Amino acid sequence: MFIVPEREIANLMTRSAAFDAVESVFASMASNDAYNFPVVREALGHEDALYGFKGGFDQKGLTLGLKAGGYWPHNLEKRGVINHQSTVFLFDPDTGMVKAMVGGNLLTALRTAAASSVSIKHLARKDSKVIGMIGAGHQATFQLRSALEVGNFEEVIAWNYHPEMLSNIEKIAVEANVPFRAVQLENMRDADVIISITSAFNPSLLEEHVSPGTHIACMGTDTKGKQEVESSLLAKARVFTDEIAQSISIGESQHAISEGLIAEADIIQLGAVINGSQKGRTSSDQITLFDGTGVGLQDLAVASSVVDLAIKSGVAIELDF
Ligand code: NAD
């Protein structure tokens, strides 16, 4: 088996390679060439941590495996390590033997940012100029960096529950040479695209904060009980997701579904838009909403590319296991 340590990932994986891997696996999921296993996600009752497993099998790419990990909210302040911790394990689909163990922290951020960027490419209005960020934590910076490479944005506006963290977002905007403005939630009406990536359990973004024609990528809600946007927004929007089973159980749609505001049949797989079997945005004043719950196949797709790159460049550690 091969080990690709976390420290090597930054030198191996690019944002554009992550984008391509995620766009392609979303398409494979929608054409039933790849499927995700049910997610296991548990509150450990220790360090307030949420821990779980996300796995899947891509029959076309012959990628089998899982990501084990989760969210430890006190890591940064108590231990100086990031709150998300994960590791990807890949198996040989012909024998079941373990093939690789790959550091999953940076890969998670890259594949999550790639997912919202894929949604922006396929669902946002082509004339989108202002991107709004809700959230300013670890994932948010990756989200913005990736989105700025996909769209021709001329301004970044941002709101965060903890305003002192907004400098994280400003830094990315400055690096990309795009003007930055810290705003109140009402000012999200100025945004053409909004990415929400927080660990909130109550909605911040309300229907009244969103203008017609906006594309919203809801990326933070990946667990039962979490919520970032008012559920009536989902009733108003054309709703897309990575994986419908996850969207209705652990994603943003869980609330709109349980309140009877939308039905499962109203939710469209983003991969079906990529494949051309479903329409994406149908008018310029329609609100589109991508419920990005994060699927195991995204992790396996990026981890598999990294293993190939690590073997080629000689940094993969080979073990007789
Ligand atoms: P982080 O701890 O670095 O940042 C948390 C963010 O949430 C900060 O902006 C913080 O100010 C904000 N926040 C905290 N409490 C809030 C509240 N009550 N109301 C509004 N905002 C609040 O975490 P992170 O690593 O950036 O992860 C953010 C979220 O993204 C987590 O919920 C995580 O589980 C989720 N996530 C989703 C995916 C996916 O594929 N969809 C992947 C990775 C992470």
Side-chain angles (χ1 to χ4, degrees):
M1 71 173 286
F2 291 99
I3 296 178
V4 185
E6 186 65 44
R7 64 172 184 272
E8 300 293 351
I9 307 292
N11 299 325
L12 295 167
M13 196 67 187
T14 62
R15 281 190 290 282
S16 79
F19 183 99
D20 292 346
V22 168
E23 187 178 46
S24 150
V25 86
F26 280 174
S28 295
M29 280 160 53
S31 52
N32 294 323
D33 289 320
Y35 68 103
N36 293 288
F37 305 151
V39 174
V40 174
R41 186 94 168 155
E42 295 289 320
L44 292 185
H46 176 76
E47 291 287 345
D48 299 323
L50 295 170
Y51 177 71
F53 311 102
K54 282 185 172 179
F57 180 40
D58 179 350
Q59 285 167 332
K60 220 172 167 187
L62 289 181
T63 312
L64 172 70
L66 61 90
K67 179 171 81 169
Y71 186 68
W72 276 257
H74 311 302
N75 270 2
L76 197 56
E77 70 197 64
K78 276 169 92 171
R79 300 183 177 86
V81 294
I82 63 168
N83 294 346
H84 262 282
Q85 291 296 329
S86 59
T87 308
V88 180
F89 297 88
L90 298 175
F91 297 87
D92 181 341
D94 297 335
T95 61
M97 290 170 76
V98 65
K99 223 166 110 177
M101 179 171 113
V102 185
N105 295 348
L106 178 57
L107 284 184
T108 297
L110 290 172
R111 67 74 147 148
T112 307
S116 63
S117 285
V118 170
S119 85
I120 292 169
K121 173 181 163 186
H122 291 278
L123 301 173
R125 289 185 349 262
K126 299 294 170 226
D127 62 351
S128 296
K129 297 279 177 242
V130 179
I131 181 159
M133 292 296 304
I134 296 181
H138 180 72
Q139 302 294 332
T141 56
F142 288 89
Q143 293 282 320
L144 179 59
R145 205 178 274 123
S146 179
L148 290 175
E149 288 174 354
V150 175
N152 294 314
F153 295 109
E154 293 174 0
E155 188 182 23
V156 175
I157 61 175
W159 175 89
N160 193 46
Y161 186 73
H162 302 103
E164 69 280 6
M165 292 170 74
L166 281 174
S167 55
N168 296 335
I169 298 297
E170 183 171 13
K171 192 167 163 257
I172 305 296
V174 168
E175 272 168 25
N177 228 356
V178 182
F180 169 85
R181 184 162 50 106
V183 297
Q184 298 304 312
L185 279 166
E186 302 81 82
N187 304 110
M188 281 294 153
R189 284 188 214 109
D190 297 344
D192 303 302
V193 169
I194 299 173
I195 298 178
S196 183
I197 182 105
T198 69
S199 48
F201 280 78
N202 290 299
S204 304
L205 189 72
L206 307 181
E207 197 181 325
E208 66 193 51
H209 301 148
V210 179
S211 291
T214 305
H215 173 61
I216 312 168
C218 300
M219 303 305 297
T221 297
D222 56 358
T223 303
K224 204 167 167 42
K226 282 189 186 171
Q227 186 172 12
E228 297 190 282
V229 307
E230 190 173 30
S231 33
S232 62
L233 256 172
L234 281 88
K236 208 174 170 186
R238 186 164 163 88
V239 180
F240 301 84
T241 189
D242 41 22
E243 168 82 55
I244 290 170
Q246 288 194 192
S247 175
I248 63 172
S249 55
I250 58 170
E252 202 60 46
S253 297
Q254 62 181 290
H255 307 286
I257 291 268
S258 71
E259 290 165 33
L261 296 174
I262 62 167
E264 185 176 332
D266 297 326
I267 308 170
I268 302 160
Q269 256 191 310
L270 180 56
V273 178
I274 299 167
N275 283 342
S277 58
Q278 284 273 4
K279 280 194 180 131
R281 161 179 297 280
T282 57
S283 73
S284 61
D285 62 356
Q286 182 174 59
I287 294 172
T288 51
L289 186 148
F290 173 62
D291 184 8
T293 62
V295 294
L297 283 167
Q298 273 171 272
D299 298 299
L300 305 189
V302 288
S304 175
S305 339
V306 152
V307 172
D308 292 343
L309 291 166
I311 294 170
K312 258 190 219 146
S313 60
V315 297
I317 301 164
E318 191 166 8
L319 279 186
D320 196 8
F321 181 77

